[in-house]
Amino acid sequence: AAGQHLTLQSADRTRACLTGAISVTTADQAVLTFDGLLLSSGLTVAGGASTTVNLTRCTVLAPAGAPAVSWTSVGGGLLNLDHTLSSGALMLDDEVTLSVADSLVDSGAFSNLAIAKDAATPCGTVSVVRSTVIGRAAMREVTLIENSILTGRVVCSRQQSGCVRFSYLTRDSQAPPRFECQPDIAIQQALAAAPKPLSLAQQNAIVKQATMRV
């Protein structure tokens, strides 16, 4: 209900498993927390109200051909992943804010879509800290990407705000300015150490080798 806080939590030293699809209907200013659980068939969030959903110390398995978390609610809200494994993509409405901390989002392949609204549309505002994202990501805005690895191309619509630091992003990613990121550092070091002068072909070869090594 509106304003209600509900927590589903495993007992100490247990790993409760919720079998079957889990469906959440949003309620204004409500907070739902899953703590220490295995969600075996994904999570679907729908409705028209702003709700917070917390996944803490959870494992979320995606059903065949579907994302691990599907948030189609148009009322906005917040999805928090904390010390959580998402074995599947996060497909979120662009009014939803996503926060990923100390977690793994695994789409199954570097080329698969891991975070977005759908195949053609970015999701909303995203923060990724001390986490790994296997797959591509498309979002409207980044608040912070820090100490993280994002294996697929990241496309951020608004690049004039936000911060990316101490992380790995592919070279073709479109993100806010990076600070101390890879493979940028490895490329700079390799080019600086190479005998001069360098032809364009030699520079490209060094860049490719440094990128592959990282």
Side-chain angles (χ1 to χ4, degrees):
Q4 183 181 34
H5 290 210
L6 175 63
T7 298
L8 301 177
Q9 182 176 4
S10 288
D12 289 346
R13 300 183 181 277
T14 64
R15 185 68 162 176
C17 177
L18 300 182
T19 60
I22 307 299
S23 179
V24 177
T25 302
T26 59
D28 193 45
Q29 303 303 313
V31 179
L32 175 61
T33 300
F34 297 95
D35 191 342
L37 302 175
L38 168 63
L39 280 63
S40 68
S41 298
L43 174 67
T44 300
V45 183
S50 178
T51 298
T52 297
V53 176
N54 301 313
L55 293 168
T56 303
R57 295 181 290 273
C58 288
T59 298
V60 186
L61 305 180
V69 179
S70 175
W71 190 313
T72 59
S73 170
V74 295
L78 173 63
L79 176 63
N80 289 314
L81 270 66
D82 180 19
H83 290 83
T84 287
L85 165 62
S86 173
S87 184
L90 308 177
M91 307 301 282
L92 313 175
D93 185 78
D94 54 6
E95 295 183 9
V96 175
T97 297
L98 171 65
S99 174
V100 181
D102 303 289
S103 297
L104 168 64
V105 179
D106 184 1
S107 70
F110 289 7
S111 60
N112 290 347
L113 196 57
I115 299 175
K117 179 178 180 179
D118 53 45
T121 312
C123 62
T125 301
V126 175
S127 171
V128 181
V129 178
R130 299 179 304 277
S131 298
T132 298
V133 177
I134 298 177
R136 297 180 290 112
M139 68 280 295
R140 182 180 64 247
E141 187 172 359
V142 165
T143 53
L144 177 64
I145 297 176
E146 180 180 63
N147 294 324
S148 295
I149 297 173
L150 290 85
T151 68
R153 185 173 185 238
V154 175
V155 177
C156 180
S157 302
R158 298 178 183 172
Q159 300 169 35
Q160 69 273 26
S161 63
C163 180
V164 180
R165 58 193 183 191
F166 313 120
S167 296
Y168 175 92
L169 276 73
T170 62
R171 294 192 68 228
D172 61 348
S173 291
Q174 300 176 5
R178 311 176 201 184
F179 176 74
E180 295 293 314
C181 287
Q182 294 284 20
D184 307 18
I185 296 174
I187 292 171
Q188 294 168 6
Q189 292 174 343
L191 289 173
K196 307 297 189 297
L198 292 170
S199 67
L200 180 59
Q202 290 173 322
Q203 293 180 43
N204 291 338
I206 291 171
V207 169
K208 182 178 180 180
Q209 184 179 27
T211 301
M212 292 181 64
R213 178 176 62 81
V214 173

